[in-house]
Amino acid sequence: MFPKPNSEQVSVLRRVALFAGLTEQEFGDLEARVVTRYYDAATMIFSEGDPCAGLFIVESGHVRIFKSSANGREQVLSIDGPGSSFAELPVFDGGPYPASAVAVNQLSLLFLSKQDFRAMCVKYPEVALKVLSVVGSRLRKLVGIIEELSFTTVRHRLIALLLRLAKTEGVKKGTAVTITLPAHNQELAAQIGTVRELVSRNMSRLQQEGMIDIDGRTIVLRDLAALKRTLEESG
């Protein structure tokens, strides 16, 4: 008999693409294997090159996955929130973590050891098939990042980021949308593969052109249609 699943953990696990479709008993099996870990903001979860210990699932908070260069520059690969899983690939290929992970804010993770996750995949083959789908989706996203870094300008990438934020968390009023930037310009620079000075310069230019208004971390996108046209013209 499996222990009665923790309702909050099962609620999170049901949101994870890898485990969609499992039965109640199978969720009980999974829940019995996971361990909750807590991290303060800015705490490293693992660093690129560390041996892979297992798979992580975000229960609450956000985690930033990034690569670092020898000179300290960072490229953000993703920022994942509740219900997201990460570190699936090294669980399967036996290699170290290919990128680093750090807590953006107060973070609660569900951890599943490499051995237990592999056992789950053997016991429930549909989980292994879903890993292929998730990893394939991540690969497509990485190809998109490479394409942006290789073929677009900082201005293009900055506008694209602002439009993504407007779509996911913007507050609309008329033709304008208000967003709150996730962090300082250094963080924005890491997300679009550039340096802080170029982010500041391009933000100021967009403000001078009347496309945005800046008030600290609050940005008002005054005309989404104009920003989209600018994005198309700079693509």
Side-chain angles (χ1 to χ4, degrees):
M1 291 290 292
F2 296 110
K4 185 178 179 180
N6 176 300
S7 59
E8 291 185 6
Q9 286 189 348
V10 170
S11 176
V12 173
L13 292 171
R14 286 188 184 281
R15 297 166 61 183
V16 180
L18 295 177
F19 307 126
L22 294 183
T23 66
E24 290 295 326
Q25 180 176 335
E26 291 165 351
F27 270 114
D29 186 8
L30 174 61
E31 195 273 338
R33 298 171 187 261
V34 300
V35 177
T36 304
R37 295 183 175 182
Y38 300 98
Y39 301 85
D40 291 328
T43 302
M44 290 295 295
I45 300 158
F46 54 76
S47 297
E48 179 180 348
D50 286 350
C52 174
L55 171 77
F56 294 87
I57 297 158
V58 182
E59 184 174 30
S60 64
H62 291 81
V63 62
R64 180 164 62 100
I65 312 297
F66 66 96
K67 295 277 288 184
S68 298
S69 68
N71 63 6
R73 278 196 42 192
E74 295 181 357
Q75 171 63 52
V76 174
L77 303 180
S78 67
I79 296 179
D80 298 324
S84 300
S85 61
F86 60 98
E88 301 93 348
L89 181 60
V91 169
F92 277 90
D93 72 7
Y97 291 117
S100 301
V102 64
V104 174
N105 42 25
Q106 289 288 328
L107 183 65
S108 172
L109 297 178
L110 302 179
F111 173 75
L112 187 63
S113 73
K114 180 166 59 176
Q115 295 76 14
D116 280 340
F117 187 53
R118 286 178 172 176
M120 288 287 298
C121 290
V122 171
K123 192 171 184 179
Y124 309 117
E126 64 270 28
V127 174
L129 290 174
K130 284 168 185 168
V131 170
L132 294 177
S133 176
V134 169
V135 171
S137 177
R138 297 259 170 83
L139 178 59
R140 287 183 181 275
K141 183 176 180 180
L142 291 175
V143 169
I145 290 174
I146 293 170
E147 183 178 27
E148 276 200 341
L149 293 175
S150 301
F151 304 120
T152 64
T153 63
V154 171
R155 176 182 172 88
H156 179 103
R157 299 198 296 273
L158 178 59
I159 293 174
L161 175 61
L162 294 176
L163 289 174
R164 285 197 297 270
L165 291 174
K167 183 177 181 180
T168 58
E169 55 191 66
V171 178
K172 190 170 185 179
K173 186 175 181 180
T175 60
V177 176
T178 299
I179 60 175
T180 301
L181 296 181
H184 47 71
N185 283 354
Q186 183 63 47
E187 175 66 24
L188 288 179
Q191 291 195 41
I192 62 175
T194 187
V195 294
R196 181 178 55 196
E197 293 76 13
L198 286 179
V199 169
S200 299
R201 189 181 308 164
N202 279 273
M203 291 284 272
S204 297
R205 182 181 171 192
L206 290 174
Q207 185 173 32
Q208 291 167 3
E209 293 171 354
M211 294 189 187
I212 66 173
D213 289 325
I214 304 172
D215 183 10
R217 291 177 57 203
T218 300
I219 306 294
V220 178
L221 310 184
R222 298 177 61 181
D223 191 334
L224 287 181
L227 280 168
K228 290 175 181 177
R229 286 195 300 270
T230 301
L231 187 67
E232 292 170 358
E233 291 168 0
S234 65

